[in-house]
């Protein structure tokens, strides 16, 4: 990404700057002229990019200073009032910011925000050592490339997560079976201590209970364990304590374990699982000494912040910390504790309730597993078609190209949301969906556009009338309409004049949606269950499909507490009626 952006804007240096846990940052990627000093790996303090600047980067994703020495002009208006220039590219930077850039040796700068899950993850920071303008179209392309890199990064993280889950899945299944079948629960868990240490990437693990303890790898002494327990017991936490900088100044450096995780499996039985990591001493390279500089105006008696003047490499040695524990490792250990608790609960007479929870979880997981095979085809088709258009039409209008880019980003978001739901369900014994007020009309129109392209229905007549708000879960509602509207277009696509209609009306406290088409219809006289999985009607053989779409619709309707019914005549079209909970409360 840094190389591509440097080719586009012609700057001397392009860097990726990642915000760290302490809100400072580090350069993690760089493309530059060969004769320029490398800043790769350099750390920067939190006050180099103050909080108000970070908030601005979250709403304005491209910022640009063509010449730090250019004159600054005031605004002349018809009347005196404050004008918000935060979202305009001609807005002058603050004098402190401009001086900071001058001190770094640059004459022009540009930056593009890296946003992940609505938060500022980092910046693409660009420097040029002569004044240089970056025009609007170039900035748009750079923002698009940055978002593309974010999507690629998230896809890679998802792949890593999937591989990790596959690796530990067999161990969890085997452990669960052993705990349910055998009585010696302490001895069983102890058999998996080495594997727990491996999956946690820990230097050592201790499994402790009221009958004793067993240790694996390199762990603290018993005296240190007592001290660790004393400090943790004074802290309020929820079942698992996690830190990578546990304070232990009394122990000699070679035996310090600042990385500590303690899972409370059964606190009343003093049953805990500990994971430890040794201290990691790192020589950090900073771009200048990380200290605030203050300037005093003796004539006015005013002291103000002044930007740093030195960016020469400055070495700082960090002690008292270990490698941080990542979310996957912590979730894995929590899952081990949950497996033990479930096994004990089942032996305690709660088998029936756990089975009910398991059935609910499996049903939800099954619904979304089918979705992965079925519903992802639509956003994937949209992504593929948009990418092909961008690649084939070199002279595409800017507005059209940005529309194609939005299609790709929107399709990627939909796929990510569906996969997140599957992962969420697979990690929980009971799923609680987040319900909200939803206006389905934009999604319905998007589904129609995608289906027209997918089934090549150029002469479709469609009518989308008043769409009432719905109380539901966003991804589930999208998938329900994706199947019903998509089927309506697919099964009417071979008509001389295909036509569909979507409308809604209020019935009591229900928002009832009608999806009507003039397609091939169905023969419902034989009392066949059309919502049964893999059930396809005899007249659908010339159309693509696997027979799972309506079964997905029925399962989703049940999750949304929606009522669904169908009326159809063979050869004369089909009408589906879905009544959701109304958002008018």
């Amino acid at each position: 990404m840094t190389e591509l952006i440097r080719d586009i804007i012609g700057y001397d240096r392009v860097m990726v700057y990642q915000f760290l846990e302490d809100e400072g940052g580090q350069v993690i990627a760089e493309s530059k002229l060969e004769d320029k000093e490398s800043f790769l790996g350099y750390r920067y303090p939190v006050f180099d990019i103050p909080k108000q600047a970070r908030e601005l980067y979250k709403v304005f994703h491209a910022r640009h200073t063509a010449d730090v020495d250019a004159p600054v002009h005031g605004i002349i208006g018809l009347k005196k009032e404050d004008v918000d220039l935060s979202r305009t590219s001609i807005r002058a930077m603050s004098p402190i910011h401009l001086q900071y850039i001058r001190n770094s040796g640059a004459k022009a700068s540009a930056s593009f925000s890296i946003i992940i899950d609505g938060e500022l993850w980092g910046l693409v920071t660009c420097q040029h050592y002569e004044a240089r303008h970056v025009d609007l179209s170039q900035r748009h392309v750079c923002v698009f490339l940055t978002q593309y890199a974010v999507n690629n990064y998230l896809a890679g993280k998802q792949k890593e997560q999937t591989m990790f889950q596959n690796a530990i899945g067999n161990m969890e299944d085997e452990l669960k079976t052993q705990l349910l079948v055998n009585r010696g629960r302490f001895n069983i868990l102890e058999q998996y201590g080495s594997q727990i240490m491996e999956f946690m990437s820990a230097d050592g693990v201790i499994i402790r209970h009221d009958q004793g303890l067993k240790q694996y790898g390199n762990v603290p002494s018993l005296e240190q364990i007592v001290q660790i327990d004393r400090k943790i017991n004074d802290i309020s936490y929820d079942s698992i304590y996690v830190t990578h900088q546990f304070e232990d100044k009394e122990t000699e450096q070679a035996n310090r374990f600042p990385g500590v995780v303690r899972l409370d499996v059964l606190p009343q039985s003093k049953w805990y699982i500990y994971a430890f990591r040794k201290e990691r001493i790192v020589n950090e390279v900073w771009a200048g000494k990380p200290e605030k500089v203050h300037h005093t105006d003796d004539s006015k008696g005013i002291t103000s912040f002044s930007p740093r003047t030195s960016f020469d490499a400055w070495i700082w040695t960090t002690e008292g910390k270990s490698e941080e524990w990542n979310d996957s490792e912590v979730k894995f250990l929590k899952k081990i504790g949950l497996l033990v608790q479930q096994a004990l609960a089942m032996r305690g007479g709660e088998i029936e309730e756990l089975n009910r929870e398991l059935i609910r979880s499996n049903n939800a997981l099954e619904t979304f597993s089918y979705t992965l095979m079925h519903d992802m085809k639509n956003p994937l088709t949209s992504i593929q078609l948009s990418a092909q258009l961008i690649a084939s039409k070199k002279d595409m209008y800017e507005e059209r190209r940005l529309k194609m880019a939005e299609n790709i980003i929107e399709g990627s978001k939909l796929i990510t949301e569906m996969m997140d739901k599957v992962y969420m369900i697979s990690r929980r014994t009971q799923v609680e969906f987040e319900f909200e007020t939803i206006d389905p009309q934009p999604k319905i129109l998007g589904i129609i556009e995608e289906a027209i392209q997918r089934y090549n229905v150029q002469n479709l007549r469609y009518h989308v009338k008043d769409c009432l708000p719905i109380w539901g879960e966003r991804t589930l509602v999208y998938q329900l309409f994706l199947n019903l509207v998509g089927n309506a277009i697919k099964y009417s696509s071979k008509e001389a004049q295909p036509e569909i209609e979507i409308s809604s009306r209020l019935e009591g406290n229900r928002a009832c949606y009608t999806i009507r088409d003039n397609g091939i219809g169905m023969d419902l006289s034989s009392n066949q269950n059309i919502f049964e999985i893999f059930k396809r009607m005899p007249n659908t053989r010339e159309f693509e499909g696997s027979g799972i779409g309506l079964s997905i619709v029925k399962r989703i309707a049940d999750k949304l507490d929606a009522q669904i019914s169908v009326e159809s005549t063979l050869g004369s079209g089909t009408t589906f009626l879905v009544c959701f909970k109304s958002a008018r409360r």
Side-chain angles (χ1 to χ4, degrees):
M1 182 181 64
T2 59
E3 291 173 357
L4 285 172
I5 290 179
R6 195 161 77 88
D7 287 341
I8 291 169
I9 65 177
Y11 267 40
D12 295 331
R13 185 193 305 274
V14 176
M15 302 171 286
V16 173
Y17 177 91
Q18 180 185 1
F19 288 105
L20 304 178
E21 185 184 38
D22 62 1
E23 296 187 338
Q26 184 174 26
V27 176
I28 63 170
E30 180 185 53
S31 176
K32 65 177 184 64
L33 292 178
E34 291 185 2
D35 61 343
K36 299 298 181 184
E37 176 190 1
S38 175
F39 294 157
L40 187 62
Y42 276 29
R43 290 283 307 274
Y44 292 79
V46 59
F47 48 78
D48 273 19
I49 305 180
K51 184 177 180 180
Q52 61 269 30
R54 295 197 297 271
E55 290 300 317
L56 185 59
Y57 283 122
K58 288 169 66 173
V59 296
F60 192 25
H61 296 172
R63 300 188 71 190
H64 174 226
T65 302
D67 184 357
V68 296
D69 296 320
V72 176
H73 301 280
I75 292 179
I76 300 176
L78 295 177
K79 55 184 179 179
K80 184 178 181 180
E81 62 180 20
D82 291 333
V83 180
D84 183 3
L85 297 178
S86 60
R87 293 188 65 83
T88 176
S89 58
I90 63 172
R91 171 182 180 269
M93 298 292 181
S94 72
I96 293 177
H97 188 175
L98 293 175
Q99 188 60 48
Y100 181 88
I101 297 172
R102 292 190 194 98
N103 292 348
S104 71
K107 294 289 187 181
S109 74
S111 59
F112 307 100
S113 303
I114 302 174
I115 306 294
I116 296 180
D117 294 332
E119 297 299 326
L120 187 64
W121 184 93
L123 295 169
V124 180
T125 303
C126 315
Q127 294 181 342
H128 199 65
Y129 294 93
E130 298 292 337
R132 187 176 183 87
H133 176 65
V134 180
D135 66 36
L136 182 62
S137 62
Q138 290 175 319
R139 297 200 295 274
H140 282 170
V141 172
C142 291
V143 170
F144 172 76
L145 284 173
T146 302
Q147 186 58 48
Y148 179 84
V150 167
N151 291 339
N152 191 58
Y153 167 80
L154 293 175
K157 297 293 286 185
Q158 183 70 41
K159 184 177 180 180
E160 289 178 8
Q161 187 69 26
T162 301
M163 293 176 63
F164 184 80
Q165 294 303 321
N166 290 338
I168 67 176
N170 291 337
M171 186 205 116
E172 290 179 349
D173 291 341
E174 185 179 343
L175 173 59
K176 184 174 183 179
T177 301
Q178 292 287 337
L179 288 169
L180 291 174
V181 173
N182 298 302
R183 292 287 178 182
R185 57 185 187 271
F186 297 137
N187 294 334
I188 292 168
L189 189 58
E190 288 173 355
Q191 295 173 16
Y192 293 87
S194 296
Q195 293 183 56
I196 293 173
M197 183 174 70
E198 179 182 352
F199 287 128
M200 290 289 294
S201 298
D203 292 310
V205 164
I206 288 178
I207 298 175
R208 176 182 174 185
H209 41 78
D210 53 8
Q211 299 178 18
L213 63 83
K214 188 162 184 175
Q215 63 186 47
Y216 310 81
N218 197 347
V219 299
S221 64
L222 292 177
E223 292 79 8
Q224 287 176 276
I225 294 293
V226 172
Q227 180 186 2
I228 290 170
D229 277 345
R230 185 183 302 115
K231 289 186 177 180
I232 293 177
N233 291 337
D234 291 336
I235 299 172
S236 176
Y237 65 97
D238 184 18
S239 76
I240 188 166
Y241 171 82
V242 182
T243 184
H244 69 284
Q245 45 188 352
F246 189 89
E247 291 189 9
D248 183 12
K249 298 179 181 179
E250 300 175 3
T251 305
E252 60 182 25
Q253 195 172 69
N255 295 318
R256 289 180 186 170
F257 291 86
V260 178
V261 179
R262 187 180 88 171
L263 173 70
D264 299 357
V265 182
L266 290 176
Q268 65 273 21
S269 300
K270 296 183 180 179
W271 190 353
Y272 307 110
I273 299 177
Y274 303 83
F276 302 100
R277 282 179 180 165
K278 292 185 71 66
E279 183 179 39
R280 182 175 67 97
I281 300 176
V282 177
N283 292 323
E284 297 177 344
V285 181
W286 289 76
K289 190 174 182 180
E291 59 182 2
K292 287 188 176 182
V293 179
H294 294 84
H295 172 73
T296 301
D297 187 337
D298 295 329
S299 62
K300 297 181 180 179
I302 298 175
T303 300
S304 60
F305 171 73
S306 177
R308 293 187 296 119
T309 58
S310 172
F311 292 86
D312 295 334
W314 184 81
I315 307 298
W316 172 259
T317 302
T318 62
E319 300 179 355
K321 297 181 180 179
S322 71
E323 289 282 354
E324 295 186 42
W325 306 96
N326 63 46
D327 289 342
S328 297
E329 293 161 347
V330 175
K331 289 177 181 177
F332 163 71
L333 195 60
K334 292 177 71 173
K335 183 65 177 292
I336 295 298
L338 182 61
L339 290 176
V340 175
Q341 293 167 7
Q342 287 178 334
L344 295 178
M346 291 178 72
R347 288 180 178 174
E350 298 179 11
I351 297 177
E352 185 176 353
E353 177 60 26
L354 284 174
N355 282 340
R356 284 197 296 267
E357 294 292 335
L358 184 59
I359 290 171
R360 285 196 288 267
S361 177
N362 285 342
N363 285 341
L365 182 57
E366 189 178 14
T367 295
F368 280 100
S369 297
Y370 294 148
T371 299
L372 285 177
M373 297 183 294
H374 186 269
D375 291 355
M376 282 188 183
K377 292 179 181 177
N378 278 59
L380 283 172
T381 300
S382 177
I383 291 172
Q384 183 179 17
L385 290 173
S386 298
Q388 288 172 347
L389 281 172
I390 291 175
S392 62
K393 293 186 180 295
K394 305 298 183 183
D395 56 346
M396 183 183 294
Y397 290 115
E398 180 73 7
E399 183 178 353
R400 180 65 173 167
R401 184 181 60 77
L402 289 176
K403 175 62 177 175
M404 295 298 99
E406 289 173 1
N407 289 345
I408 292 173
I409 293 172
E410 182 64 19
S412 302
K413 286 181 179 178
L414 288 171
I415 292 173
T416 300
E417 288 176 358
M418 292 180 190
M419 295 185 70
D420 285 346
K421 288 293 189 308
V422 176
Y423 176 70
M424 177 187 71
I425 294 168
S426 69
R427 301 299 294 164
R428 298 183 182 178
T429 56
Q430 183 173 353
V431 180
E432 295 181 3
F433 294 105
E434 294 184 4
F435 280 56
E436 58 185 306
T437 299
I438 299 168
D439 175 13
Q441 185 169 2
K443 292 297 185 186
I444 290 173
L445 293 174
I447 290 167
I448 292 173
E449 285 187 17
E450 293 173 2
I452 288 173
Q453 295 180 8
R454 180 176 178 185
Y455 302 116
N456 194 24
V457 192
Q458 301 304 324
N459 59 337
L460 175 72
R461 294 173 56 186
Y462 62 91
H463 313 276
V464 180
K465 300 182 179 180
D466 292 340
C467 291
L468 295 172
I470 295 169
W471 182 250
E473 198 278 336
R474 186 159 52 100
T475 307
L476 291 179
V477 171
Y478 168 78
Q479 290 171 245
L480 187 143
F481 281 112
L482 177 67
N483 281 282
L484 291 181
V485 176
N487 279 354
I489 295 174
K490 177 171 68 172
Y491 292 122
S492 60
S493 61
K494 299 185 184 300
E495 300 298 317
Q497 182 58 67
E499 184 174 1
I500 68 167
E501 178 181 301
I502 296 103
S503 61
S504 66
R505 64 183 185 274
L506 196 61
E507 291 186 3
N509 65 342
R510 294 267 174 178
C512 294
Y513 274 73
T514 300
I515 299 96
R516 181 181 295 110
D517 67 70
N518 67 340
I520 62 175
M522 295 180 284
D523 181 8
L524 302 179
S525 60
S526 59
N527 294 324
Q528 296 186 67
N529 183 6
I530 63 170
F531 298 107
E532 183 179 343
I533 190 169
F534 303 124
K535 175 66 69 177
R536 301 203 74 198
M537 305 304 285
N539 61 335
T540 62
R541 292 174 182 171
E542 61 179 306
F543 296 86
E544 69 171 58
S546 56
I548 65 174
L550 289 182
S551 68
I552 292 174
V553 168
K554 183 64 172 67
R555 291 172 186 269
I556 290 175
D558 292 341
K559 295 295 176 187
L560 296 172
D561 192 22
Q563 300 167 355
I564 184 168
S565 60
V566 59
E567 295 179 0
S568 185
T569 302
L570 191 61
S572 299
T574 301
T575 300
F576 279 90
L577 178 66
V578 188
C579 292
F580 303 90
K581 287 184 177 180
S582 173
R584 298 177 181 176
R585 302 191 154 198

